[in-house]
Amino acid sequence: MTTSNEVSMRSTGIREVSRSSASGYLILAIAFLLIAFGIAGLIWGGAMPGYSILLKILAITVGSLLFSGFYMLQPNEAALLSLFGDYKGTDRSQGLRWVNPFLSKRKLSLRARTLNTPPLKVNDKRGNPVEIGAAIVWRVNDTALAIYNVDDFERFVSVQAEAALRHLATQYAYDEGDDLVDGEVTLRAGMDVVVNAMKQELHDRFSAAGIQVEDAKLTHLAYAPEIAQVMLRRQQAEAIISARKKIVQGAVSMVEGALQGLSERQIVELDDERKAAMVSNLLVVLCSERDTQPVVNAGTLYN
């Protein structure tokens, strides 16, 4: 959820303004010509009577001044231009560029970056301590917000990512349980929903610094060491109970089918006591974890 402070930061922040620049190759040729003209005039001043000393010095000065307006931009790189502290715009052109020499230039990478957060110990919705970590792919989208709206946008991303992970973990339980509503999303089972919620929260938090979230994935999710063994035994117990339940259901169905088949084919007539004994023996055979040893009764059930 976006707070009022974040909304205020975005509304008062300086937004990026596109600023065009001139190709540096033509200006580079002009600068060399001016310097060459001035130097040649100083060296061969006698052969060039029409040129004054002042004009020669001026040509060299202007040519040298033009050199301070050059800068080089690589692909996915931008330059923030400002004049005496006043932001004038951002140039995203590639190659050798030239602008007013009095403009200061600050380069900024627009390439995708990866933040791999270390496992954080937080409490889930139930209050159980869990460890959670994530890998976040992000890039600078608004250069002006990244530079002028926050002090250090890389540290801002790191701190806000940790805060988002901690808040996310408190919204969901680690695993399913009897105390949760059927179908409720958990950190372990509802990975897609959790990741989408994390991306949205990261987007809301990073937008104050002009940062765009490219991708985010959970890289670590586990119970904290102090309760890991207890929770493992709990999961094992739940698995055993679930398996036993299915075994019993299957055994009951098999016994029911056996009694129904004997009755329909009239193979043997069983009274209630014999049916109870047969059901008991079949359930022991079907539900036992070990091989059963049959005992042959040479008499009758009533002896």
Side-chain angles (χ1 to χ4, degrees):
M1 181 179 295
T2 305
T3 63
S4 59
N5 290 336
E6 292 172 345
V7 174
S8 176
M9 288 175 67
R10 291 198 296 271
S11 61
T12 59
I14 300 175
R15 294 287 183 173
E16 179 179 324
V17 177
S18 179
R19 174 66 182 258
S20 60
S21 59
S23 175
Y25 300 102
L26 178 60
I27 307 298
L28 183 63
I30 295 174
F32 274 120
L33 288 176
L34 288 174
I35 293 176
F37 169 79
I39 294 176
L42 292 176
I43 295 176
W44 296 289
M48 304 171 66
Y51 298 103
S52 64
I53 296 296
L54 182 60
L55 183 60
K56 301 167 189 176
I57 296 176
L58 181 61
I60 296 175
T61 303
V62 172
S64 301
L65 184 62
L66 290 177
F67 274 101
S68 62
F70 290 105
Y71 59 94
M72 186 82 69
L73 288 180
Q74 303 291 336
N76 280 327
E77 192 175 29
L80 286 85
L81 308 175
S82 60
L83 180 63
F84 305 121
D86 184 16
Y87 171 68
K88 294 300 182 181
T90 299
D91 181 19
R92 295 185 179 227
S93 306
Q94 299 178 18
L96 182 63
R97 314 303 300 174
W98 184 87
V99 291
N100 184 344
F102 294 101
L103 289 173
S104 62
K105 298 163 281 290
R106 178 171 180 176
K107 294 183 180 180
L108 181 64
S109 174
L110 304 178
R111 300 180 181 92
R113 313 185 193 192
T114 301
L115 172 65
N116 191 14
T117 64
L120 304 173
K121 183 183 292 186
V122 296
N123 293 332
D124 68 354
K125 185 178 180 179
R126 288 196 184 99
N128 295 325
V130 299
E131 292 182 347
I132 186 171
I136 303 167
V137 181
W138 59 278
R139 70 170 70 238
V140 175
N141 185 43
D142 192 308
T143 57
L145 283 177
I147 297 300
Y148 300 119
N149 205 39
V150 294
D151 183 59
D152 185 344
F153 67 90
E154 292 184 347
R155 177 172 174 76
F156 179 86
V157 167
S158 177
V159 173
Q160 291 299 325
E162 179 178 340
L165 270 179
R166 292 185 181 279
H167 181 260
L168 179 76
T170 61
Q171 304 303 308
Y172 303 96
Y174 177 85
D175 207 350
E176 298 176 352
D178 297 335
D179 56 334
L180 299 181
V181 180
D182 292 339
E184 184 174 345
V185 177
T186 61
L187 293 173
R188 187 165 173 265
M191 187 64 69
D192 293 338
V193 177
V194 172
V195 167
N196 289 333
M198 180 173 62
K199 289 180 181 178
Q200 183 59 45
E201 180 155 359
L202 289 172
H203 171 75
D204 293 340
R205 290 176 178 271
F206 289 176
S207 58
I211 304 299
Q212 177 182 350
V213 180
E214 298 284 329
D215 193 18
K217 299 292 183 184
L218 291 180
T219 57
H220 181 82
L221 182 62
Y223 280 114
E226 56 265 28
I227 66 167
Q229 293 298 325
V230 176
M231 290 304 176
L232 179 60
R233 289 197 293 269
R234 175 186 173 185
Q235 292 175 357
Q236 291 174 342
E238 291 176 350
I240 291 173
I241 293 172
S242 177
R244 289 285 188 181
K245 184 177 180 181
K246 289 185 179 297
I247 291 173
V248 172
Q249 289 176 350
V252 170
S253 298
M254 294 173 67
V255 171
E256 183 181 4
L259 293 176
Q260 185 177 355
L262 291 174
S263 176
E264 290 177 352
R265 298 180 185 181
Q266 298 181 352
I267 296 176
V268 63
E269 294 292 336
L270 300 175
D271 58 14
D272 292 341
E273 187 174 354
R274 287 188 172 89
K275 287 182 179 179
M278 182 178 179
V279 169
S280 176
N281 292 334
L282 286 175
L283 288 177
V284 170
V285 172
L286 295 173
C287 298
S288 177
E289 293 183 356
R290 300 180 179 179
D291 295 336
T292 57
Q293 301 294 329
V295 177
V296 179
N297 186 9
T300 67
L301 294 175
Y302 305 102
N303 292 340

